[in-house]
Amino acid sequence: MHDHRPGGTPGGARLEPMALEVRHPTADAPEGCGARRQERVLRIERNACVAAVSDDDSADRFLARLLGDGGPDRPGASEVTGATGATGTSEAAGTSEAAGAVSVAVYGVDPRTDPEAVRRLVGVVPEGMPLPEAPVHDVLVAAARQRGLPAETAAERATDLTDALDLRAVERTPVAELTPGQRSRAALGCALLHVPRLLLLSRPLDDVDSVSEKILCRVLGRYTASTGTVVFSTRSREVARRVTDRLVTVQGGEVRCDCLPATR
């Protein structure tokens, strides 16, 4: 894996910050005088699509705690990102404590010191994809308004995303009546409304129909080509290799930073 740390280059130019940089201490440091704490570092480039893969819910917990560990001076993920009904806060806190303090930077911004700036930069689909029980179009408009968008802008963006995600036929259908694939598309729409530069998505492609997968991949492909970076969790290595630039494996709350190129 290349070292993409921001900083000076041999030619004197300064590299732009990574879209996402995650650091956490490991237990690999040798004991003895002068031993230094080791760090595991995950750096994700701008305009990348990366899958966090695990056989259980470890990858979901990893995403949930990226922007909040439940501490008194570090808001939970729902407060930082504006996600509706974010889950896993207390469980993620325990995992974070066990693995050590995690340091996160989003485009060079620390969520602990500037949570509002990070909130503007990030769009989230939390574990379980919690959505209000209302018609799809109303859910999208409400999510945009929650982000502070004016009513007219909220309605326009909701309509645009309804078309982009091929939800026009169900825009007046209550969320409870959607198929898993349609619900995943609606949840992604809510995350995209404020045009974030980083998407953190909990299993958007798991257990969806082939039509929804194709639509989701098309939208995410356009997003990474033009706007920002995607990190999503999945339990399927096949999905990860099929649609991503890179994948990482998450086990027991620890990310293996030896990211693998996807085989397409």
Side-chain angles (χ1 to χ4, degrees):
M1 179 178 176
H2 297 294
D3 186 351
H4 294 290
R5 270 177 295 189
T9 64
R14 187 168 182 81
L15 296 175
E16 294 181 330
M18 292 287 96
L20 180 66
E21 183 169 286
V22 184
R23 295 172 175 265
H24 63 84
T26 70
D28 299 334
E31 295 184 1
C33 181
R36 299 182 63 185
R37 185 181 68 175
Q38 299 293 307
E39 279 188 330
R40 189 178 295 278
V41 184
L42 174 65
R43 297 185 180 94
I44 296 176
E45 303 88 346
R46 298 172 180 227
N47 301 101
C49 182
V50 179
V53 185
S54 66
D55 295 328
D56 52 19
D57 60 352
S58 295
D60 296 307
R61 294 201 308 271
F62 167 71
L63 291 186
R65 81 169 192 262
L66 278 181
L67 303 179
D69 62 8
D73 61 347
R74 189 170 183 178
S78 61
E79 296 173 42
V80 174
T81 64
T84 303
T87 61
T89 302
S90 60
E91 186 177 11
T95 305
S96 180
E97 290 170 3
V102 176
S103 172
V104 178
V106 179
Y107 289 91
V109 182
D110 189 335
R112 296 168 297 185
T113 58
D114 199 346
E116 185 57 35
V118 173
R119 184 177 183 274
R120 292 190 297 268
L121 287 169
V122 181
V124 173
V125 172
E127 185 178 359
M129 299 184 189
L131 294 170
E133 294 305 330
V136 171
H137 187 269
D138 295 349
V139 167
L140 290 169
V141 171
R145 295 290 286 153
Q146 183 183 14
R147 284 290 190 167
L149 274 63
E152 184 176 351
T153 302
E156 289 176 356
R157 290 193 183 171
T159 298
D160 290 343
L161 283 166
T162 297
D163 291 335
L165 292 160
D166 200 12
L167 292 169
R168 176 72 65 169
V170 294
E171 65 177 342
R172 296 302 173 190
T173 301
V175 165
E177 298 178 16
L178 298 179
T179 66
Q182 290 168 341
R183 186 182 185 93
S184 186
R185 284 184 266 159
L188 176 59
C190 289
L192 284 168
L193 281 159
H194 65 295
V195 195
R197 295 179 64 195
L198 172 66
L199 288 175
L200 301 177
L201 312 176
S202 177
R203 288 193 266 164
L205 296 169
D206 288 14
D207 304 317
V208 302
D209 57 273
S210 59
V211 172
S212 289
E213 180 180 305
K214 185 179 296 185
I215 294 168
L216 288 163
C217 289
R218 182 185 68 221
V219 171
L220 293 177
R222 290 175 178 174
Y223 171 82
T224 55
S226 62
T227 306
T229 296
V230 176
V231 182
F232 72 90
S233 63
T234 181
R235 296 188 183 186
S236 171
R237 288 184 175 272
E238 180 183 350
V239 168
R241 291 192 176 102
R242 188 164 65 243
V243 304
T244 66
D245 301 310
R246 297 164 53 193
L247 64 86
V248 296
T249 301
V250 183
Q251 292 180 342
E254 182 173 315
V255 178
R256 293 182 178 179
C257 293
D258 49 333
C259 303
L260 305 174
T263 301
R264 294 183 178 174

